[in-house]
Amino acid sequence: MKRPLALVGFTYLLAQAAAVFFGEPVAWYLAGGCLLFFVLSLCIRRLRREKAVPVACLAAMVACLAYGLGQMWLIRPMTPLDGQDVEVSGSICELPYQENDRYYYQIQTDQVGMEGVPQSIRIRITTTHALDAEVYDRISGKVRLFLPQKGSGLDSAAYYQSKGIRMTGFLYEYEPFSIQSTQDRPLYYYALKAREAVLRSIRLLFSSEQSGIASGVLLGAKQQMLPEVEEDFRVIGVSHLLAVSGLHTTVLTECLLHFFLFLRVRRRMAAGLSIGGIVIFMAITGFTPSVMRAGMMSILMLTGMIIRKEPDSLNSLGAAAGILTLVNPFAAGDVGLLLSFTSTLGIILLSGKLSKKWNEKVVSRFSFGKRAVRFIGNSGAATISATLFTIPVILLTFQEFSLVSILANLLLVGPSMVMMMGTAAAALLSFSGVFSFLTMPFVFCSGLLIEYLQACASFLANVPFANISVGEDFLLLWLAGTLVLVGIVWWNPSIHNKRVAALLSCLMLVCGGASQWIFHRDSVEVAVLDAGDGCAMVVSYQGHAAVVSCGGNRYAPEAVRGYLKDQNIWSLDYMVLPRVDDVSENRAYEVALSYPPKLMELPQKAQEEERLYASMDAAEEAVLVSGQTQADLWGKASIYTDMENGYAVLHMGNVRITIDPAGDAELPEQARDCHCYVTGTPNGRGGEISSQYTVFSVSEETANQGIIRYTPEIGEVFVTAGQGNLVLEQDFSGTVSIRRE
């Protein structure tokens, strides 16, 4: 059996990813199916002789079993703690960070105030104020705990489980809690302090906008990035640059190796010193699964140099994937790991072939500058290979695809890596005392590259149809068909079969996307955006859009703009705000300036809000309304807004959606009897509402505190809560469905 480590590692990771994606109940069925195929493969002489099929089935079965048992033994015991107030004590085990006006801390507990539950678990808590605490200080206090919100696919629950975080919650800051310093600190403490020092140095060396991108690319720390910049990176398909992975560690490995060789260190010694540098880098970046995978690959490569034996790339990648997933039964829930793995696999399998074609067709025609042309071709081949192989993960995770991703990667990957090394050099030199003046050239050059990255990402993100959304069901069908084709090619790996399989996979993707567009082209979509506490809603139809309410946190405007970009909408037909009592509603002015509406209707009270009132000048027509107003939306829907009471009702045929942003409007009987009730505040009025769906547009913290107390009388409950947008859609038969994006 050729490359056994690759076979076992790849199969194990793929099976674990399937188990994580479909959830625990399906994982048990998958394990049973793999067991059945394992037994059958032993009964077929050819399969038994080749060994690959039985080994793959056995590895897949073990992966699914491990995931199911992990859920049973590690996650289910946490259920009694869900929604409970308990006294906990433990140590802060990661650097805290600030996001959305809250502070986040990871705590490794050693005592939980409830009997019959695990006492040593990792939890993530939030506070409204920064705690006067260092990493590995002890904290004791009253905490309300929650199981992470479960959705579909690779949701936040899967992400937290991959990181070892079992519960989330918030600290009761108005009740007594204590923080104690300790001198008992592990080696990892110094890695965290080094990370903190590097981040602080970057903030001091670069402007606030530049430091966000520099920190994100170098260390994967995205908390300081402007939301619109992060959104641009996502839209054009280069979000992987903000998650430390194989690309980063490969560049770092090459730089370290050449640096030590430049200092006249012997090659084997240089490889050993480079391994030490990689381990330190892995520690500073937090030992995330993607970094661990990439770091292990680099270490294996450097180890091969030391023992004078070149490792097999596929076996090394399989070994790294197998070790990570064996140690952590939830590792495949980390999208960064999946992207890192698939991109590296693409480079190994495809990059060399593309480079060979480039050298044969292009480089051979140049008489001068062959080295530069070859370098461009090799870089482009690696970028294209990595991008193509990450497409399935991106499609299944984000249910969207960037049509400019290959171009964006070609334009941004090289400069971003140069910027990363320049930033690292500047940050390290800033600690060198008398030689700190040497940071300036690196800061200047890196700053120029950051400006280029930001401008290029913004330009590409604003290209029409730069990003398209796709449906989950179609993607699963396409992926299943592609896996069948891969199996056929593996069984008979002829050049003809490979080409036919690639062509059929592309045809399935194109035809499926086209058919989905045909069937949904005449449907109206109502999106409740995941914008924190507050209601932000967009109604769209065939490139037209209307914004109904624009509340939420400070990122709400970017959430609206990002959704409009995803829907390939470049101008608004209509904007209406049922109320402007909440300060967050004033964020609508940012959207109005970016997407000037053809018609804008605001309550009379809007004239008291200076910026919102001024934004009316951007609209083609703007009206202040004191009572009720009604607007027709493209002949497919209509919206009635009561500015006096602060609510709106959207009609789509026989479907009625009531929008109550603040949750306290005086609703008439007709508005209370609706197909869907949307609000930005859980206020406990469930008994007054009769609806098929109730959607709460709230933050994760608010959802944890309030939603669980609702009764089933309000119908099926959905919450945004950091899980993504919720989209209501009416098909040609008039049936209303709801899905998460």
Side-chain angles (χ1 to χ4, degrees):
M1 184 171 54
K2 192 176 181 180
R3 295 192 176 101
L5 294 179
L7 175 66
V8 173
F10 295 171
T11 305
Y12 199 99
L13 176 62
L14 180 62
Q16 189 184 92
V20 171
F21 188 88
F22 292 109
E24 181 187 356
V26 177
W28 294 111
Y29 289 107
L30 289 175
C34 292
L35 176 61
L36 177 61
F37 280 111
F38 172 70
V39 174
L40 290 175
S41 66
L42 293 179
C43 299
I44 301 174
R45 181 178 299 177
R46 181 180 175 183
L47 297 180
R48 186 173 64 249
R49 188 187 310 119
E50 292 182 356
K51 299 180 183 179
V53 173
V55 169
C57 291
L58 186 61
M61 182 191 70
V62 173
C64 294
L65 281 177
Y67 176 79
L69 293 173
Q71 291 287 329
M72 182 185 299
W73 293 340
L74 300 176
I75 305 303
R76 286 189 194 173
M78 303 293 104
T79 304
L81 290 169
D82 190 26
Q84 300 299 314
D85 296 333
V86 294
E87 293 285 338
V88 302
S89 63
S91 301
I92 300 173
C93 56
E94 290 289 345
L95 288 179
Y97 64 92
Q98 181 184 7
E99 192 172 22
N100 294 342
D101 301 323
R102 297 189 69 86
Y103 296 86
Y104 294 80
Y105 297 84
Q106 285 190 35
I107 298 175
Q108 182 67 44
T109 69
D110 51 38
Q111 185 175 353
V112 178
M114 179 181 287
E115 295 183 357
V117 299
Q119 300 296 301
S120 179
I121 59 175
R122 179 170 292 199
I123 63 175
R124 192 214 65 179
I125 64 170
T126 64
T127 62
T128 56
H129 301 88
L131 301 178
D132 185 16
E134 288 259 347
V135 182
Y136 285 100
D137 282 355
R138 291 188 54 78
I139 181 171
S140 301
K142 186 177 180 181
V143 175
R144 170 163 285 193
L145 293 175
F146 304 95
L147 285 171
Q149 295 281 338
K150 290 194 67 65
S152 60
L154 301 176
D155 55 13
S156 65
Y159 171 79
Y160 286 130
Q161 289 171 14
S162 73
K163 301 296 185 185
I165 299 173
R166 302 290 178 247
M167 306 287 292
T168 62
F170 60 89
L171 177 69
Y172 282 97
E173 298 172 73
Y174 54 83
E175 295 194 14
F177 65 90
S178 64
I179 297 174
Q180 297 177 333
S181 274
T182 177
Q183 300 302 318
D184 184 17
R185 290 164 175 161
L187 285 175
Y188 187 46
Y189 165 82
Y190 300 99
L192 292 176
K193 296 302 289 184
R195 176 184 176 90
E196 186 178 42
V198 171
L199 290 173
R200 182 169 57 250
S201 174
I202 291 174
R203 287 195 297 270
L204 293 174
L205 293 172
F206 296 92
S207 67
S208 57
E209 292 185 3
Q210 292 178 345
S211 64
I213 297 178
S215 301
V217 173
L218 178 61
L219 297 175
K222 299 181 288 186
Q223 289 78 26
Q224 300 300 319
M225 282 191 69
L226 294 176
E228 56 267 27
V229 176
E230 187 176 353
E231 177 69 14
D232 288 342
F233 274 58
R234 182 192 65 80
V235 167
I236 64 175
V238 294
S239 293
H240 61 88
L241 295 177
L242 306 176
V244 180
S245 59
L247 182 63
H248 299 70
T249 53
T250 300
V251 172
L252 179 63
T253 301
E254 291 294 324
C255 289
L256 286 173
L257 192 58
H258 285 87
F259 173 73
F260 290 124
L261 291 175
F262 175 76
L263 296 179
R264 304 293 183 183
V265 177
R266 291 185 177 181
R267 190 171 183 81
R268 296 171 71 183
M269 178 63 72
L273 293 173
S274 298
I275 289 176
I278 293 296
V279 172
I280 293 173
F281 180 71
M282 291 164 64
I284 292 176
T285 51
F287 289 115
T288 61
S290 59
V291 174
M292 290 286 288
R293 196 283 311 156
M296 290 171 65
M297 285 283 293
S298 296
I299 290 172
L300 287 172
M301 185 270 291
L302 293 168
T303 302
M305 293 177 59
I306 295 174
I307 63 176
R308 292 179 176 155
K309 184 177 180 181
E310 186 174 348
D312 183 277
S313 299
L314 284 175
N315 258 340
S316 299
L317 181 60
I323 292 171
L324 288 174
T325 48
L326 277 170
V327 172
N328 181 1
F330 312 121
D334 180 22
V335 178
L337 172 64
L338 298 180
L339 290 173
S340 175
F341 173 81
T342 52
S343 63
T344 304
L345 183 62
I347 292 172
I348 293 173
L349 295 179
L350 186 59
S351 178
K353 297 177 181 179
L354 294 179
S355 295
K356 183 179 179 181
K357 290 288 185 182
W358 175 267
N359 293 335
E360 292 175 353
K361 302 293 184 181
V362 179
V363 177
S364 59
R365 298 184 179 182
F366 281 79
S367 301
F368 302 97
K370 286 189 175 183
R371 181 174 295 181
V373 177
R374 185 179 293 110
F375 173 78
I376 293 173
N378 292 340
S379 300
T383 300
I384 292 172
S385 303
T387 303
L388 290 176
F389 272 67
T390 56
I391 287 175
V393 178
I394 293 172
L395 287 173
L396 287 174
T397 304
F398 306 110
Q399 296 180 24
E400 62 184 22
F401 176 64
S402 174
L403 298 179
V404 299
S405 61
I406 293 180
L407 175 61
N409 277 275
L410 289 172
L411 293 176
L412 271 69
V413 168
S416 68
M417 292 300 99
V418 176
M419 182 275 294
M420 180 188 78
M421 298 314 302
T423 301
L428 293 176
L429 286 170
S430 67
F431 304 119
S432 62
V434 294
F435 297 104
S436 60
F437 69 92
L438 295 175
T439 61
M440 299 314 297
F442 292 101
V443 171
F444 178 75
C445 295
S446 296
L448 291 178
L449 289 172
I450 291 172
E451 293 296 327
Y452 163 77
L453 294 174
Q454 187 171 347
C456 188
S458 178
F459 173 78
L460 292 175
N462 284 282
V463 171
F465 300 100
N467 189 283
I468 57 174
S469 299
V470 290
E472 180 178 311
D473 295 338
F474 149 64
L475 287 174
L476 292 176
L477 182 62
W478 167 73
L479 187 60
T482 301
L483 289 176
V484 171
L485 292 172
V486 170
I488 294 172
V489 171
W490 174 82
W491 185 268
N492 188 5
S494 66
I495 297 296
H496 175 73
N497 286 348
K498 290 179 180 179
R499 290 175 177 174
V500 171
L503 178 62
L504 288 176
S505 178
C506 293
L507 284 175
M508 283 192 297
L509 184 61
V510 172
C511 293
S515 62
Q516 184 183 35
W517 177 82
I518 291 172
F519 283 111
H520 291 273
R521 73 186 189 281
D522 201 40
S523 62
V524 177
E525 285 192 356
V526 180
V528 182
L529 305 184
D530 191 1
D533 291 321
C535 185
M537 204 167 97
V538 177
V539 185
S540 60
Y541 172 75
Q542 291 189 355
H544 300 274
V547 171
V548 184
S549 185
C550 196
N553 58 29
R554 60 193 176 103
Y555 300 121
E558 190 54 39
V560 175
R561 291 194 291 254
Y563 182 80
L564 294 175
K565 277 185 183 179
D566 291 345
Q567 298 300 309
N568 300 302
I569 294 165
W570 305 101
S571 65
L572 282 180
D573 292 334
Y574 184 53
M575 174 183 279
V576 61
L577 304 184
R579 62 186 299 156
V580 293
D581 293 346
D582 195 330
V583 174
S584 61
E585 290 286 359
N586 296 330
R587 305 190 192 283
Y589 85 93
E590 296 184 36
V591 177
L593 294 179
S594 301
Y595 289 87
K598 294 180 181 178
L599 174 61
M600 185 177 189
E601 294 184 333
L602 302 176
Q604 284 285 349
K605 195 172 182 179
Q607 60 188 332
E608 300 174 9
E609 307 295 341
E610 182 178 353
R611 291 191 295 182
L612 181 59
Y613 185 64
S615 69
M616 296 177 69
D617 294 335
E620 291 184 16
E621 181 182 355
V623 182
L624 290 174
V625 181
S626 58
Q628 295 79 34
T629 183
Q630 188 164 349
D632 175 74
L633 301 179
W634 323 294
K636 293 290 182 178
S638 64
I639 183 165
Y640 166 85
T641 308
D642 188 331
M643 302 290 194
E644 184 176 351
N645 291 307
Y647 73 92
V649 179
L650 177 68
H651 295 270
M652 297 188 301
N654 296 324
V655 176
R656 186 163 50 250
I657 301 173
T658 298
I659 304 103
D660 184 8
D664 59 358
E666 293 294 330
L667 300 177
E669 183 177 350
Q670 187 180 27
R672 292 199 300 269
D673 183 12
C674 55
H675 290 84
C676 181
Y677 174 72
V678 181
T679 183
T681 305
N683 66 342
R685 66 185 304 165
E688 303 176 20
I689 303 297
S690 174
S691 63
Q692 182 180 355
Y693 301 124
T694 300
V695 177
F696 293 103
S697 178
V698 294
S699 65
E700 183 179 359
E701 289 75 24
T702 300
N704 288 337
Q705 295 176 46
I707 301 300
I708 60 172
R709 292 195 295 267
Y710 270 77
T711 59
E713 288 142 2
I714 57 174
E716 193 172 357
V717 175
F718 294 87
V719 293
T720 52
Q723 302 290 308
N725 304 331
L726 290 165
V727 178
L728 294 94
E729 186 176 32
Q730 183 182 30
D731 62 19
F732 61 91
S733 66
T735 303
V736 177
S737 61
I738 188 167
R739 70 177 189 274
R740 190 180 296 277
E741 286 190 343

